[in-house]
Every structure is written in structure tokens, then in C-alpha cells.
Amino acid sequence: KAQNKAEKELKKREKLSSDIDSKRRSIAKDEKKITKIQEKMMKDEKKGKLSPLAIEKLNQKMDKLQKSIEKDREKLMRLQDKQ
């Protein structure tokens, strides 16, 4: 019984650290996406390729990613508190 309990606790810790790691990667990935969108916007804006509609779509995409990052950061904080 004690061994099973120890194994479960070990699995729980491993899953927690894996979840923390995946949240960190997710945040980094979304931040890279935002940077790429911003760079593309600046480049296209200089060339005059962006319509007001396209600018709005890109801004909405960036807002969505930013919200996702905020949620992931909150989840990461909770996971780290559990650890």
C-alpha cells in the first residue's frame, strides 16, 4: 500500500512538472507568433500592402494570442504554487 501511494505521488509530481514545462513552451510559442505578426505588419505597412480590414484582422489575432498568454501565465502560476 505504501509503495502504491509513493508511486502515485511520484507520477503526480512528474505530471505537474510536465504540465509546467508545456505551459512555458506554449507561452513562448504564442509570444513568437505575436512578434512575427508585428514584424509582418510593419513590413507590409511600409510597402502599402495592408488594407484597414487586414490591419484589424491582424490586431484581433494579436489580441487573441495575448489573452491566451495571460491565461497560460495564470495557469502556470497555479501549477507552480501546487509544486
Side-chain angles (χ1 to χ4, degrees):
K1 255 187 171 179
Q3 187 181 6
N4 279 347
K5 208 171 192 179
E7 286 174 6
K8 281 185 181 180
E9 186 65 32
L10 183 64
K11 281 185 181 180
K12 201 175 186 181
R13 285 187 184 171
E14 286 174 353
K15 183 171 177 8
L16 194 59
S17 66
S18 150
D19 288 348
I20 288 172
D21 193 43
S22 84
K23 282 296 169 200
R24 284 188 179 137
R25 277 187 304 217
S26 173
I27 290 169
K29 187 176 90 175
D30 285 349
E31 286 173 343
K32 281 182 188 175
K33 280 184 184 178
I34 287 177
T35 306
K36 280 186 180 181
I37 291 171
Q38 286 174 334
E39 288 172 358
K40 184 181 185 314
M41 259 179 81
M42 288 170 60
K43 184 179 169 187
D44 287 350
E45 218 168 342
K46 284 180 184 174
K47 291 182 178 180
K49 286 185 175 181
L50 286 179
S51 67
L53 187 64
I55 291 172
E56 185 147 344
K57 278 187 179 181
L58 290 172
N59 282 332
Q60 286 175 348
K61 201 180 255 189
M62 286 191 300
D63 287 343
K64 188 176 179 182
L65 287 169
Q66 198 64 43
K67 287 178 185 174
S68 169
I69 288 172
E70 288 174 25
K71 283 183 184 178
D72 284 346
R73 282 197 174 129
E74 288 174 15
K75 287 179 184 176
L76 180 63
M77 296 273 282
R78 277 190 239 125
L79 289 172
Q80 287 174 335
D81 288 346
K82 283 184 182 178
Q83 202 174 27

Coordinates of all heavy atoms in Angstrom, one line a residue:
K1 N 0.8 -1.2 0.0 CA 0.0 0.0 0.0 C 0.9 1.3 0.0 O 0.6 2.2 -0.8 CB -0.9 0.0 1.2 CG -2.3 -0.3 0.9 CD -3.2 -0.1 2.2 CE -4.6 -0.2 1.8 NZ -5.5 0.0 2.9
A2 N 1.8 1.3 0.8 CA 2.7 2.4 1.0 C 3.5 2.7 -0.4 O 3.7 3.8 -0.8 CB 3.7 2.3 2.1
Q3 N 3.8 1.5 -1.0 CA 4.6 1.6 -2.3 C 3.7 2.2 -3.4 O 4.1 3.1 -4.1 CB 5.1 0.3 -2.7 CG 6.0 0.3 -3.9 CD 6.5 -1.0 -4.3 OE1 6.1 -2.1 -3.8 NE2 7.4 -1.1 -5.3
N4 N 2.4 1.8 -3.4 CA 1.5 2.3 -4.4 C 1.3 3.8 -4.2 O 1.2 4.6 -5.1 CB 0.1 1.6 -4.3 CG 0.1 0.3 -5.0 OD1 1.0 0.0 -5.8 ND2 -0.9 -0.5 -4.7
K5 N 1.2 4.2 -2.9 CA 1.0 5.6 -2.6 C 2.2 6.4 -3.1 O 2.0 7.5 -3.6 CB 0.8 5.8 -1.1 CG 0.0 6.9 -0.7 CD -0.3 6.9 0.8 CE -1.4 7.9 1.1 NZ -1.8 7.9 2.5
A6 N 3.4 5.9 -2.8 CA 4.6 6.6 -3.2 C 4.7 6.7 -4.8 O 5.1 7.7 -5.3 CB 5.8 5.8 -2.7
E7 N 4.3 5.6 -5.5 CA 4.3 5.6 -6.9 C 3.3 6.7 -7.5 O 3.6 7.4 -8.4 CB 4.0 4.2 -7.5 CG 5.1 3.2 -7.3 CD 4.7 1.8 -7.7 OE1 3.6 1.7 -8.2 OE2 5.5 0.9 -7.6
K8 N 2.1 6.7 -6.9 CA 1.1 7.7 -7.3 C 1.6 9.1 -7.1 O 1.4 10.0 -7.9 CB -0.2 7.5 -6.5 CG -1.0 6.4 -7.0 CD -2.4 6.3 -6.3 CE -3.2 5.2 -6.8 NZ -4.5 5.1 -6.1
E9 N 2.3 9.3 -5.9 CA 2.8 10.7 -5.6 C 3.9 11.1 -6.6 O 3.9 12.2 -7.1 CB 3.4 10.7 -4.2 CG 3.8 12.0 -3.7 CD 2.7 13.0 -3.6 OE1 1.5 12.6 -3.3 OE2 2.9 14.2 -3.8
L10 N 4.7 10.1 -7.0 CA 5.8 10.3 -8.0 C 5.2 10.7 -9.3 O 5.6 11.7 -10.0 CB 6.7 9.1 -8.1 CG 7.9 9.2 -9.0 CD1 8.8 10.3 -8.5 CD2 8.6 7.9 -9.1
K11 N 4.2 9.9 -9.8 CA 3.5 10.2 -11.0 C 2.9 11.6 -11.0 O 2.9 12.3 -12.0 CB 2.5 9.1 -11.3 CG 3.0 7.8 -11.9 CD 1.9 6.9 -12.3 CE 2.5 5.6 -12.8 NZ 1.4 4.6 -13.1
K12 N 2.3 11.9 -9.9 CA 1.6 13.2 -9.8 C 2.6 14.4 -9.9 O 2.4 15.3 -10.6 CB 1.0 13.3 -8.4 CG -0.1 14.3 -8.3 CD -0.7 14.2 -6.9 CE -1.9 15.1 -6.7 NZ -2.5 15.0 -5.4
R13 N 3.8 14.2 -9.3 CA 4.9 15.2 -9.4 C 5.4 15.3 -10.8 O 5.7 16.4 -11.3 CB 6.0 14.9 -8.4 CG 5.7 15.2 -7.0 CD 6.8 15.1 -6.1 NE 6.5 15.3 -4.7 CZ 7.3 15.1 -3.7 NH1 8.5 14.6 -3.9 NH2 6.9 15.4 -2.5
E14 N 5.6 14.2 -11.5 CA 6.1 14.2 -12.8 C 5.1 14.8 -13.8 O 5.5 15.6 -14.6 CB 6.4 12.7 -13.3 CG 7.6 12.1 -12.7 CD 7.8 10.6 -13.0 OE1 6.8 10.1 -13.7 OE2 8.8 10.1 -12.7
K15 N 3.8 14.6 -13.6 CA 2.8 15.2 -14.4 C 2.8 16.7 -14.2 O 2.7 17.5 -15.2 CB 1.4 14.6 -14.2 CG 0.3 15.1 -15.1 CD -0.9 14.4 -14.9 CE -2.1 14.9 -15.7 NZ -1.9 16.0 -16.7
L16 N 2.9 17.1 -13.0 CA 2.9 18.5 -12.7 C 4.1 19.2 -13.3 O 3.9 20.3 -13.9 CB 3.0 18.7 -11.1 CG 2.6 20.0 -10.6 CD1 1.2 20.5 -11.0 CD2 2.8 20.0 -9.1
S17 N 5.2 18.7 -13.2 CA 6.4 19.3 -13.9 C 6.3 19.3 -15.4 O 6.7 20.2 -16.0 CB 7.7 18.6 -13.4 OG 7.8 17.3 -13.9
S18 N 5.7 18.2 -15.9 CA 5.5 18.2 -17.4 C 4.4 19.3 -17.8 O 4.6 19.9 -18.8 CB 4.9 16.8 -17.7 OG 4.1 16.8 -18.8
D19 N 3.4 19.4 -17.0 CA 2.4 20.5 -17.3 C 3.0 21.9 -17.2 O 2.7 22.7 -18.1 CB 1.2 20.4 -16.3 CG 0.3 19.2 -16.6 OD1 0.5 18.5 -17.6 OD2 -0.5 18.9 -15.7
I20 N 3.8 22.1 -16.2 CA 4.5 23.4 -16.1 C 5.4 23.7 -17.3 O 5.4 24.8 -17.9 CB 5.4 23.4 -14.8 CG1 4.4 23.5 -13.6 CG2 6.3 24.6 -14.8 CD1 5.1 23.4 -12.3
D21 N 6.1 22.6 -17.7 CA 7.0 22.8 -18.9 C 6.2 23.1 -20.2 O 6.6 23.9 -21.0 CB 7.8 21.5 -19.1 CG 9.0 21.7 -20.0 OD1 9.6 22.8 -20.0 OD2 9.2 20.8 -20.9
S22 N 5.1 22.4 -20.3 CA 4.3 22.6 -21.5 C 3.7 24.0 -21.6 O 3.6 24.6 -22.6 CB 3.2 21.5 -21.7 OG 2.1 21.8 -21.0
K23 N 3.3 24.5 -20.4 CA 2.7 25.9 -20.3 C 3.8 26.9 -20.7 O 3.5 27.8 -21.4 CB 2.2 26.2 -18.9 CG 0.8 25.6 -18.7 CD -0.2 26.1 -19.6 CE -1.5 25.3 -19.4 NZ -2.4 25.5 -20.6
R24 N 5.0 26.7 -20.2 CA 6.1 27.6 -20.6 C 6.4 27.6 -22.1 O 6.6 28.7 -22.7 CB 7.4 27.2 -19.8 CG 7.4 27.6 -18.4 CD 8.7 27.3 -17.7 NE 8.7 27.7 -16.3 CZ 9.2 27.0 -15.4 NH1 9.8 25.9 -15.6 NH2 9.1 27.5 -14.1
R25 N 6.3 26.4 -22.7 CA 6.6 26.3 -24.1 C 5.4 27.0 -24.9 O 5.6 27.7 -25.9 CB 6.7 24.9 -24.6 CG 8.0 24.3 -24.4 CD 8.1 22.9 -25.0 NE 7.0 22.2 -24.3 CZ 7.1 20.9 -24.0 NH1 8.1 20.2 -24.3 NH2 6.1 20.3 -23.4
S26 N 4.2 26.8 -24.4 CA 3.0 27.4 -25.1 C 3.1 28.9 -25.0 O 2.8 29.6 -26.0 CB 1.8 26.9 -24.3 OG 0.6 27.6 -24.8
I27 N 3.5 29.5 -23.9 CA 3.6 30.9 -23.7 C 4.7 31.4 -24.7 O 4.5 32.4 -25.4 CB 4.0 31.3 -22.3 CG1 2.8 31.1 -21.4 CG2 4.5 32.8 -22.2 CD1 3.1 31.2 -19.9
A28 N 5.8 30.8 -24.8 CA 6.9 31.2 -25.6 C 6.5 31.1 -27.1 O 6.8 32.0 -27.9 CB 8.2 30.3 -25.4
K29 N 5.8 30.1 -27.5 CA 5.3 29.9 -28.8 C 4.4 31.1 -29.2 O 4.5 31.7 -30.3 CB 4.6 28.6 -29.0 CG 4.2 28.2 -30.4 CD 3.6 26.8 -30.5 CE 2.2 27.0 -30.3 NZ 1.4 25.7 -30.5
D30 N 3.4 31.4 -28.3 CA 2.5 32.5 -28.6 C 3.2 33.8 -28.7 O 2.8 34.7 -29.6 CB 1.4 32.5 -27.6 CG 0.4 31.4 -27.8 OD1 0.4 30.7 -28.8 OD2 -0.5 31.2 -26.9
E31 N 4.2 34.0 -27.9 CA 4.9 35.3 -27.9 C 5.7 35.4 -29.3 O 5.7 36.5 -29.8 CB 5.9 35.4 -26.7 CG 5.2 35.7 -25.4 CD 6.1 35.7 -24.2 OE1 7.2 35.1 -24.3 OE2 5.7 36.2 -23.2
K32 N 6.2 34.3 -29.7 CA 6.9 34.3 -31.0 C 5.9 34.6 -32.2 O 6.3 35.4 -33.1 CB 7.6 33.0 -31.3 CG 8.9 32.8 -30.6 CD 9.5 31.4 -31.0 CE 10.7 31.1 -30.1 NZ 11.2 29.8 -30.4
K33 N 4.7 34.1 -32.1 CA 3.7 34.3 -33.1 C 3.4 35.8 -33.1 O 3.2 36.4 -34.2 CB 2.4 33.5 -32.8 CG 2.5 32.1 -33.2 CD 1.1 31.4 -33.0 CE 1.1 30.0 -33.3 NZ -0.2 29.4 -33.0
I34 N 3.2 36.4 -31.9 CA 2.9 37.8 -31.9 C 4.0 38.7 -32.5 O 3.7 39.6 -33.3 CB 2.6 38.3 -30.4 CG1 1.3 37.7 -29.9 CG2 2.6 39.8 -30.3 CD1 1.0 38.0 -28.5
T35 N 5.2 38.3 -32.2 CA 6.4 39.1 -32.8 C 6.4 39.0 -34.3 O 6.6 39.9 -35.0 CB 7.7 38.5 -32.2 OG1 7.6 38.5 -30.8 CG2 8.9 39.3 -32.7
K36 N 6.1 37.8 -34.8 CA 6.1 37.6 -36.3 C 5.0 38.4 -36.9 O 5.2 39.0 -38.0 CB 5.9 36.1 -36.6 CG 7.2 35.3 -36.5 CD 6.9 33.9 -37.0 CE 8.2 33.0 -36.9 NZ 8.0 31.7 -37.4
I37 N 3.8 38.4 -36.3 CA 2.7 39.2 -36.8 C 3.1 40.6 -36.9 O 2.8 41.3 -37.9 CB 1.4 38.9 -36.0 CG1 0.9 37.5 -36.3 CG2 0.3 39.9 -36.4 CD1 -0.2 37.1 -35.4
Q38 N 3.7 41.1 -35.8 CA 4.0 42.5 -35.7 C 5.1 42.9 -36.8 O 4.9 43.9 -37.4 CB 4.6 42.9 -34.3 CG 3.5 43.0 -33.3 CD 4.1 43.2 -31.9 OE1 5.2 42.8 -31.6 NE2 3.3 43.8 -31.0
E39 N 6.0 42.0 -37.0 CA 7.1 42.3 -38.0 C 6.5 42.3 -39.4 O 6.8 43.1 -40.2 CB 8.2 41.2 -37.9 CG 9.1 41.4 -36.7 CD 10.0 40.2 -36.5 OE1 10.0 39.2 -37.3 OE2 10.8 40.2 -35.5
K40 N 5.6 41.3 -39.6 CA 4.9 41.3 -40.9 C 4.0 42.5 -41.2 O 4.0 43.1 -42.3 CB 4.0 40.0 -41.0 CG 3.4 39.8 -42.3 CD 2.5 38.5 -42.3 CE 1.9 38.1 -43.6 NZ 1.3 39.2 -44.4
M41 N 3.4 43.0 -40.1 CA 2.5 44.2 -40.2 C 3.4 45.4 -40.6 O 3.0 46.1 -41.5 CB 1.8 44.4 -38.9 CG 0.4 44.0 -38.9 SD -0.4 44.3 -37.3 CE -0.8 46.1 -37.5
M42 N 4.5 45.5 -39.9 CA 5.4 46.7 -40.2 C 5.9 46.6 -41.6 O 5.9 47.6 -42.3 CB 6.5 46.7 -39.1 CG 6.0 47.1 -37.7 SD 7.3 46.9 -36.5 CE 8.6 48.0 -37.0
K43 N 6.3 45.4 -42.0 CA 6.9 45.3 -43.3 C 5.8 45.6 -44.4 O 6.1 46.3 -45.3 CB 7.4 43.8 -43.5 CG 8.1 43.5 -44.8 CD 8.5 42.1 -44.7 CE 9.0 41.6 -46.1 NZ 9.3 40.2 -46.1
D44 N 4.7 45.0 -44.3 CA 3.6 45.2 -45.2 C 3.1 46.7 -45.2 O 2.6 47.2 -46.2 CB 2.4 44.2 -45.0 CG 2.8 42.8 -45.4 OD1 3.9 42.6 -46.0 OD2 2.0 41.9 -45.1
E45 N 3.1 47.3 -44.0 CA 2.6 48.7 -43.9 C 3.6 49.6 -44.7 O 3.1 50.5 -45.4 CB 2.6 49.1 -42.4 CG 1.4 50.0 -42.1 CD 1.2 50.1 -40.6 OE1 1.7 49.3 -39.8 OE2 0.5 51.1 -40.3
K46 N 4.9 49.3 -44.6 CA 5.9 50.1 -45.3 C 5.6 50.0 -46.8 O 5.8 51.0 -47.6 CB 7.3 49.7 -45.0 CG 7.7 50.2 -43.6 CD 9.2 49.8 -43.4 CE 9.6 50.2 -42.0 NZ 10.9 49.6 -41.6
K47 N 5.3 48.8 -47.3 CA 5.1 48.5 -48.7 C 3.7 49.0 -49.2 O 3.4 49.1 -50.3 CB 5.2 47.0 -49.0 CG 6.6 46.5 -48.9 CD 6.6 45.0 -49.3 CE 8.0 44.4 -49.2 NZ 8.0 43.0 -49.6
G48 N 2.8 49.3 -48.2 CA 1.5 49.8 -48.5 C 0.5 48.7 -48.9 O -0.4 48.9 -49.7
K49 N 0.8 47.5 -48.4 CA 0.0 46.3 -48.8 C -1.2 46.1 -47.9 O -2.1 45.3 -48.2 CB 0.8 45.0 -48.8 CG 1.8 44.9 -49.9 CD 2.5 43.5 -49.8 CE 3.4 43.2 -50.9 NZ 4.0 41.9 -50.8
L50 N -1.2 46.8 -46.7 CA -2.3 46.4 -45.8 C -3.5 47.3 -45.9 O -3.4 48.6 -45.9 CB -1.7 46.6 -44.3 CG -0.8 45.5 -43.8 CD1 -0.3 45.8 -42.4 CD2 -1.4 44.2 -43.9
S51 N -4.6 46.7 -46.0 CA -5.9 47.5 -46.0 C -6.3 47.6 -44.6 O -5.8 46.9 -43.7 CB -7.0 46.7 -46.8 OG -7.3 45.5 -46.1
P52 N -7.2 48.6 -44.3 CA -7.7 48.7 -42.9 C -8.3 47.4 -42.4 O -8.1 47.1 -41.2 CB -8.7 49.8 -43.0 CG -8.4 50.6 -44.2 CD -7.7 49.6 -45.2
L53 N -8.9 46.7 -43.2 CA -9.5 45.4 -42.8 C -8.5 44.4 -42.4 O -8.6 43.7 -41.3 CB -10.4 44.8 -43.9 CG -11.2 43.6 -43.5 CD1 -12.3 44.0 -42.5 CD2 -12.0 43.1 -44.8
A54 N -7.4 44.3 -43.2 CA -6.3 43.4 -42.9 C -5.6 43.8 -41.6 O -5.3 42.9 -40.7 CB -5.3 43.4 -44.0
I55 N -5.5 45.1 -41.3 CA -4.8 45.6 -40.1 C -5.7 45.2 -38.9 O -5.2 44.7 -37.9 CB -4.7 47.1 -40.1 CG1 -3.6 47.5 -41.1 CG2 -4.3 47.6 -38.7 CD1 -3.5 49.0 -41.4
E56 N -7.0 45.3 -39.0 CA -7.9 45.0 -38.0 C -7.9 43.5 -37.7 O -7.8 43.1 -36.5 CB -9.4 45.4 -38.3 CG -10.3 45.1 -37.2 CD -11.4 46.1 -37.1 OE1 -11.3 47.2 -37.7 OE2 -12.4 45.8 -36.4
K57 N -7.8 42.7 -38.7 CA -7.7 41.2 -38.5 C -6.5 40.8 -37.8 O -6.5 40.0 -36.9 CB -7.8 40.5 -39.9 CG -9.2 40.3 -40.4 CD -9.1 39.4 -41.7 CE -10.5 39.2 -42.2 NZ -10.5 38.4 -43.4
L58 N -5.3 41.4 -38.2 CA -4.1 41.1 -37.5 C -4.1 41.6 -36.1 O -3.6 40.9 -35.2 CB -2.9 41.7 -38.3 CG -2.6 41.1 -39.7 CD1 -1.6 42.0 -40.4 CD2 -2.1 39.7 -39.5
N59 N -4.7 42.7 -35.8 CA -4.8 43.2 -34.4 C -5.6 42.3 -33.6 O -5.3 42.0 -32.4 CB -5.3 44.6 -34.4 CG -4.3 45.7 -34.8 OD1 -3.1 45.4 -34.6 ND2 -4.7 46.8 -35.3
Q60 N -6.7 41.8 -34.2 CA -7.6 40.8 -33.5 C -6.8 39.5 -33.1 O -6.9 39.0 -32.1 CB -8.8 40.5 -34.3 CG -9.8 41.6 -34.3 CD -11.0 41.3 -35.2 OE1 -11.0 40.4 -36.0 NE2 -12.1 42.2 -35.1
K61 N -6.0 39.1 -34.1 CA -5.2 37.9 -33.9 C -4.2 38.1 -32.8 O -4.1 37.2 -31.9 CB -4.5 37.6 -35.2 CG -4.1 36.1 -35.4 CD -3.3 35.9 -36.7 CE -4.2 35.2 -37.7 NZ -3.5 34.8 -38.9
M62 N -3.6 39.2 -32.8 CA -2.6 39.5 -31.7 C -3.3 39.6 -30.3 O -2.8 39.1 -29.3 CB -1.8 40.8 -32.0 CG -0.8 40.6 -33.1 SD 0.3 42.0 -33.3 CE -0.7 43.4 -33.6
D63 N -4.5 40.2 -30.3 CA -5.2 40.3 -29.0 C -5.6 38.9 -28.5 O -5.5 38.7 -27.3 CB -6.5 41.2 -29.2 CG -6.2 42.6 -29.4 OD1 -5.1 43.1 -29.0 OD2 -7.1 43.4 -29.8
K64 N -6.0 38.1 -29.4 CA -6.4 36.7 -29.0 C -5.2 36.0 -28.5 O -5.3 35.3 -27.4 CB -7.0 36.0 -30.3 CG -7.6 34.7 -30.0 CD -8.1 34.1 -31.3 CE -8.7 32.7 -31.0 NZ -9.3 32.1 -32.2
L65 N -4.1 36.1 -29.1 CA -2.9 35.5 -28.6 C -2.4 36.0 -27.3 O -2.0 35.3 -26.4 CB -1.7 35.6 -29.6 CG -1.8 34.8 -30.9 CD1 -0.8 35.2 -31.9 CD2 -1.7 33.3 -30.6
Q66 N -2.6 37.3 -27.1 CA -2.2 38.0 -25.8 C -3.1 37.5 -24.7 O -2.6 37.2 -23.6 CB -2.4 39.5 -26.0 CG -1.6 40.3 -24.9 CD -0.1 40.1 -25.0 OE1 0.4 40.1 -26.0 NE2 0.5 39.9 -23.8
K67 N -4.4 37.3 -25.0 CA -5.3 36.7 -24.0 C -4.9 35.3 -23.6 O -5.0 34.9 -22.5 CB -6.7 36.8 -24.4 CG -7.3 38.2 -24.4 CD -8.7 38.2 -25.0 CE -9.2 39.7 -25.1 NZ -10.5 39.7 -25.7
S68 N -4.5 34.6 -24.6 CA -4.1 33.2 -24.4 C -2.9 33.1 -23.6 O -2.8 32.3 -22.7 CB -3.9 32.5 -25.8 OG -3.2 31.3 -25.6
I69 N -1.9 34.0 -23.8 CA -0.7 34.1 -23.0 C -1.1 34.4 -21.5 O -0.5 33.8 -20.6 CB 0.3 35.1 -23.6 CG1 0.9 34.6 -24.9 CG2 1.4 35.5 -22.6 CD1 1.7 35.7 -25.6
E70 N -2.0 35.4 -21.3 CA -2.3 35.7 -20.0 C -3.0 34.5 -19.2 O -2.6 34.3 -18.1 CB -3.3 36.9 -20.0 CG -2.7 38.2 -20.3 CD -3.7 39.3 -20.5 OE1 -4.8 39.3 -19.9 OE2 -3.4 40.3 -21.2
K71 N -3.8 33.8 -19.9 CA -4.5 32.6 -19.3 C -3.4 31.6 -19.0 O -3.4 31.0 -17.9 CB -5.5 32.0 -20.2 CG -6.8 32.8 -20.3 CD -7.8 32.0 -21.2 CE -9.1 32.8 -21.4 NZ -10.0 32.1 -22.3
D72 N -2.5 31.4 -19.9 CA -1.5 30.4 -19.7 C -0.6 30.8 -18.5 O -0.1 29.9 -17.7 CB -0.6 30.1 -20.9 CG -1.3 29.3 -22.0 OD1 -2.4 28.7 -21.6 OD2 -0.9 29.2 -23.1
R73 N -0.3 32.1 -18.4 CA 0.6 32.5 -17.3 C -0.1 32.3 -15.9 O 0.5 31.9 -15.0 CB 0.9 34.0 -17.4 CG 2.0 34.2 -18.4 CD 2.6 35.6 -18.3 NE 3.8 35.7 -19.2 CZ 4.0 36.6 -20.1 NH1 3.1 37.6 -20.2 NH2 5.0 36.6 -20.9
E74 N -1.5 32.6 -15.9 CA -2.2 32.3 -14.7 C -2.2 30.8 -14.3 O -2.0 30.5 -13.2 CB -3.7 32.8 -14.8 CG -3.8 34.3 -14.8 CD -5.2 34.7 -15.2 OE1 -6.2 33.9 -15.1 OE2 -5.4 35.9 -15.5
K75 N -2.4 30.0 -15.3 CA -2.4 28.5 -15.1 C -1.0 28.1 -14.6 O -0.8 27.3 -13.7 CB -2.7 27.8 -16.4 CG -4.2 27.9 -16.7 CD -4.5 27.1 -18.0 CE -6.0 27.3 -18.4 NZ -6.3 26.7 -19.7
L76 N 0.1 28.7 -15.2 CA 1.4 28.4 -14.8 C 1.7 28.7 -13.4 O 2.3 28.0 -12.6 CB 2.4 29.1 -15.7 CG 3.9 28.9 -15.5 CD1 4.2 27.4 -15.7 CD2 4.7 29.8 -16.4
M77 N 1.2 29.9 -13.0 CA 1.4 30.3 -11.6 C 0.7 29.3 -10.6 O 1.3 29.0 -9.6 CB 0.7 31.7 -11.4 CG 1.4 32.8 -12.1 SD 2.8 33.5 -11.3 CE 1.9 34.6 -10.1
R78 N -0.5 28.9 -11.0 CA -1.3 28.0 -10.1 C -0.5 26.6 -10.1 O -0.4 26.0 -9.0 CB -2.7 27.7 -10.7 CG -3.6 28.8 -10.2 CD -5.1 28.4 -10.6 NE -5.6 29.5 -11.4 CZ -6.1 29.3 -12.6 NH1 -6.2 28.1 -13.1 NH2 -6.5 30.3 -13.3
L79 N 0.0 26.2 -11.2 CA 0.8 24.9 -11.2 C 2.0 25.0 -10.4 O 2.4 24.1 -9.6 CB 1.1 24.5 -12.6 CG 0.0 24.1 -13.5 CD1 0.5 23.9 -15.0 CD2 -0.6 22.8 -13.0
Q80 N 2.7 26.2 -10.4 CA 3.9 26.3 -9.7 C 3.6 26.4 -8.2 O 4.4 26.0 -7.4 CB 4.7 27.6 -10.1 CG 5.3 27.4 -11.5 CD 6.0 28.7 -12.0 OE1 5.5 29.8 -11.6 NE2 6.9 28.5 -12.9
D81 N 2.5 27.0 -7.8 CA 2.1 27.0 -6.4 C 1.8 25.6 -5.9 O 2.1 25.3 -4.7 CB 0.8 27.9 -6.2 CG 1.1 29.4 -6.4 OD1 2.3 29.8 -6.4 OD2 0.1 30.1 -6.6
K82 N 1.3 24.7 -6.7 CA 1.0 23.4 -6.3 C 2.3 22.6 -6.1 O 2.3 21.7 -5.3 CB 0.2 22.6 -7.4 CG -1.3 23.0 -7.4 CD -2.0 22.1 -8.5 CE -3.4 22.5 -8.6 NZ -4.1 21.7 -9.6
Q83 N 3.3 23.0 -6.8 CA 4.6 22.2 -6.8 C 5.2 22.2 -5.4 O 5.3 23.1 -4.6 CB 5.5 22.7 -7.8 CG 6.5 21.7 -8.2 CD 7.4 22.1 -9.4 OE1 7.6 23.3 -9.6 NE2 7.9 21.2 -10.2

